[in-house]
Amino acid sequence: MHPTLTVFESSPDRGRGLARDMRVRWALEEAAVPYNVRLVSFEAMKQAAHLARNPFGQIPAYEEGDLVLFESGAIVLHIAQRHAGLLPADAGARARAIMWMFAALNTVETPIVEREAASYAERGKAWQAEHLAMLDARVSERLEALSRHLGDRRWLDGAFSAADILMVLVLRRLEGSGLLEHFPALLAYIARGEARPAYRRAFDAQRAVFEATRGG
Amino acid sequence: MHPTLTVFESSPDRGRGLARDMRVRWALEEAAVPYNVRLVSFEAMKQAAHLARNPFGQIPAYEEGDLVLFESGAIVLHIAQRHAGLLPADAGARARAIMWMFAALNTVETPIVEREAASYAERGKAWQAEHLAMLDARVSERLEALSRHLGDRRWLDGAFSAADILMVLVLRRLEGSGLLEHFPALLAYIARGEARPAYRRAFDAQRAVFEATRGG
């Protein structure tokens, strides 16, 4: 029985691999776990069948037998705990990898999502530019700390782990913002993630959904 | 060897139990783990000794022998995985409890933190009220979904777990906003959390730090 991943029928990122199902796809590819995909429309995401999978009406959702999970971070952690190659075996290193998973989602992604939300929700407001400048400063402060931590490290803490999946994809949300370009260590880190064959397979799979449904 | 928790020397919440060390204190009290406390000033948080514990210069940090962790969610999960009473034994229920931990921090807390940030960072701006109204709507949408999920449940998913620690404390950040009052199920849920003896011990411990240092 393969797990089933619920994803956008028509992703607002237009197939750029920025929707949160990409995190789960990449983890499943690293773990060599085949999976099925269910597509949901924006309308269906707010209806009962999907709300039973995720009460907040978001994607992704993940089903594995009777188990139904939402929250991309929790799904990636679930996969990482059950398959080799996504978390270190040593207990301390494992706790630190999980710490970096939380850091990616709670400390680094938080101001990035806020910046994105402001960029569309405040369109046309006279004060949008002033607010975006404040948010850029908050994002950059986090990037600065992360870049200092990374330094010459290839990955966040020792070997590649599930935390790198989350962090690379969180950082990719800033593509086109001009903020990443101040931090060469972060650009190189993202490029290392994107060069992994599992990343490429996951990217191509989500892209294929967009290509197949764009006519719809 | 007891673990050491690094907390604000002078918490900006003035001892109301809203700083993120409260999450870890409550988990440690539920697990009956004694701990030591290290106080850091705002200045010391940005200096090398603390940045070695947390590269983002925040609290809390947690030390247990050689292991040094930051991110309150990761620390609570670490404690919950090593002590009884904070996560269900059944594998599926355990995965769901961890999912709710991520939901508390990534889906519910995110707009709440943003609302807090706007309330001080935008003080004096002509557009602050308009922006706060937008943020209130985003917070309320999440509260609505959470309240619908909770319904008559006592806790998020079956027995009390580490996820309830995070969610109750995330919701408490809205005290005084007037937003919680629209959701009696959430108010009752918070009250159930606050009624636990371990909550009370954790609250009193952080309060005592504030009382002891307020003269300083």
Side-chain angles (χ1 to χ4, degrees):
Chain A
M1 245 329 247
H2 299 163
T4 296
L5 189 61
T6 300
V7 309
F8 284 128
E9 180 180 74
S10 179
S11 179
D13 81 332
R14 304 183 58 79
R16 291 189 297 139
L18 299 176
R20 287 184 172 89
D21 60 291
M22 177 68 189
R23 303 165 181 188
V24 182
R25 290 177 183 274
W26 185 2
L28 289 167
E29 292 290 350
E30 293 281 352
V33 177
Y35 61 99
N36 302 313
V37 166
R38 177 194 294 110
L39 307 182
V40 282
S41 65
F42 292 117
E43 298 73 41
M45 283 170 70
K46 306 303 174 191
Q47 291 167 1
H50 186 69
L51 291 174
R53 287 176 216 118
N54 180 344
F56 298 100
Q58 299 177 314
I59 66 99
Y62 177 88
E63 290 154 88
E64 184 189 285
D66 288 343
L67 180 65
V68 184
L69 296 179
F70 63 95
E71 290 291 333
S72 59
I75 299 168
V76 169
L77 180 55
H78 174 78
I79 294 163
Q81 285 174 326
R82 276 151 193 81
H83 300 278
L86 288 167
L87 284 175
D90 171 74
R94 197 176 182 92
R96 285 197 306 274
I98 294 172
M99 167 190 88
W100 279 109
M101 294 180 69
F102 278 92
L105 302 184
N106 294 311
T107 295
V108 181
E109 187 174 34
T110 316
I112 295 175
V113 165
E114 193 47 38
R115 191 183 171 283
E116 269 177 39
S119 72
Y120 60 81
E122 298 167 9
R123 200 166 287 157
K125 304 278 185 197
W127 44 272
Q128 184 184 34
E130 183 181 0
H131 186 219
L132 282 177
M134 294 166 73
L135 293 172
D136 281 357
R138 275 164 58 193
V139 170
S140 296
E141 188 186 335
R142 297 289 157 91
L143 297 183
E144 170 86 40
L146 180 63
S147 177
R148 205 168 44 224
H149 167 77
L150 267 176
D152 293 330
R153 288 180 172 93
R154 278 184 63 74
W155 306 111
L156 288 167
D157 190 305
F160 175 84
S161 81
D164 296 297
I165 291 179
L166 299 182
M167 191 69 87
V168 165
L169 291 175
V170 161
L171 293 174
R172 276 205 55 221
R173 298 185 79 149
L174 288 170
E175 283 175 10
S177 71
L179 298 177
L180 287 169
E181 286 64 21
H182 300 286
F183 304 99
L186 299 183
L187 290 173
Y189 171 67
I190 294 169
R192 278 193 292 279
E194 291 175 327
R196 293 179 71 88
Y199 175 97
R200 186 48 52 189
R201 291 193 296 274
F203 185 91
D204 291 347
Q206 62 79 36
R207 181 79 184 188
V209 170
F210 175 71
E211 296 292 348
T213 57
R214 68 189 304 177
Chain B
M1 246 329 249
H2 299 161
T4 297
L5 189 61
T6 300
V7 309
F8 285 128
E9 181 181 74
S10 179
S11 179
D13 81 331
R14 303 185 58 78
R16 292 188 297 140
L18 298 175
R20 287 182 171 90
D21 60 290
M22 177 68 190
R23 302 164 182 188
V24 181
R25 290 176 182 274
W26 186 1
L28 289 167
E29 291 290 349
E30 292 281 352
V33 177
Y35 60 100
N36 302 314
V37 167
R38 177 194 294 109
L39 307 183
V40 283
S41 65
F42 292 116
E43 298 73 40
M45 284 171 70
K46 306 304 173 191
Q47 291 166 0
H50 187 68
L51 291 174
R53 287 175 215 121
N54 180 343
F56 298 100
Q58 299 177 314
I59 64 98
Y62 177 87
E63 290 154 87
E64 186 189 284
D66 287 342
L67 180 65
V68 184
L69 296 177
F70 63 95
E71 289 292 332
S72 59
I75 299 167
V76 169
L77 180 55
H78 173 78
I79 294 163
Q81 285 174 326
R82 276 151 194 82
H83 300 277
L86 287 168
L87 284 175
D90 171 75
R94 196 174 182 93
R96 285 198 306 277
I98 293 172
M99 167 189 89
W100 278 108
M101 293 180 71
F102 279 92
L105 302 185
N106 295 309
T107 296
V108 180
E109 187 175 32
T110 316
I112 294 175
V113 165
E114 194 45 38
R115 189 183 173 283
E116 268 177 39
S119 72
Y120 58 82
E122 299 167 9
R123 198 166 289 156
K125 305 278 185 196
W127 44 273
Q128 184 183 34
E130 184 181 1
H131 185 219
L132 283 177
M134 294 166 73
L135 294 172
D136 281 357
R138 276 164 58 195
V139 170
S140 295
E141 189 186 334
R142 297 290 157 89
L143 297 183
E144 170 85 41
L146 179 65
S147 176
R148 206 167 44 226
H149 166 78
L150 266 176
D152 292 331
R153 288 180 172 92
R154 280 183 63 74
W155 306 110
L156 288 168
D157 190 302
F160 175 84
S161 81
D164 296 297
I165 290 179
L166 299 182
M167 191 69 88
V168 165
L169 291 175
V170 161
L171 293 173
R172 276 205 55 221
R173 298 183 79 149
L174 288 169
E175 283 174 9
S177 71
L179 298 176
L180 288 168
E181 286 64 22
H182 300 286
F183 304 99
L186 299 183
L187 290 173
Y189 171 66
I190 295 168
R192 279 193 292 280
E194 292 175 327
R196 293 180 71 88
Y199 175 96
R200 185 48 50 189
R201 290 192 297 272
F203 185 92
D204 290 346
Q206 62 80 36
R207 181 78 184 189
V209 170
F210 176 72
E211 296 292 348
T213 56
R214 69 189 305 177

